[in-house]
Amino acid sequence: MSGRTYARLRPERTCVGCRERAAKTDLLRIVVVGGECVPDDRGTLPGRGAYVHPAMDCLDLAVRRRAFPRAFKAKGPLDTAGVRRHLHDAHGTAQTAP
């Protein structure tokens, strides 16, 4: 051993809400199933994914900026009620982005 330590590289993604880069594990992956945005906690659902901080502020920014239809290359608005419900249930109350 040479005594050097190597920092382990972690994949990074960009939050579609606040546009900040963060570790993939710190973000919530979202996929589209039947015209509805669905949270993908395990990261195993098929299809294109968009990432957002698990905070209501970032979700609201993404909806306001129409980031989900753009990220998924979809025509028209997408329903984000399932993601909103997931964030509310997982964190109790609305949290702010880091």
Side-chain angles (χ1 to χ4, degrees):
M1 293 288 218
S2 65
R4 284 196 225 170
T5 58
Y6 290 98
R8 200 152 227 217
L9 294 178
R10 297 188 325 181
E12 287 188 342
R13 299 292 184 263
T14 301
C15 173
V16 295
C18 66
R19 305 294 299 158
E20 289 184 15
R21 291 185 62 79
K24 184 178 172 182
T25 57
D26 295 340
L27 298 172
L28 176 65
R29 181 174 187 255
I30 310 231
V31 295
V32 172
V33 176
E36 181 180 348
C37 291
V38 176
D40 183 14
D41 284 332
R42 295 175 33 186
T44 57
L45 292 176
R48 178 180 290 270
Y51 292 83
V52 67
H53 283 109
M56 287 292 188
D57 290 348
C58 285
L59 179 62
D60 291 340
L61 274 172
V63 170
R64 195 173 324 132
R65 292 178 178 166
R66 297 179 188 94
F68 290 122
R70 196 173 324 120
F72 295 120
K73 299 178 182 177
K75 305 258 191 270
L78 296 170
D79 184 20
T80 59
V83 177
R84 198 171 296 281
R85 208 171 22 256
H86 174 79
L87 289 178
H88 188 272
D89 292 345
H91 299 293
T93 59
Q95 288 186 350
T96 58

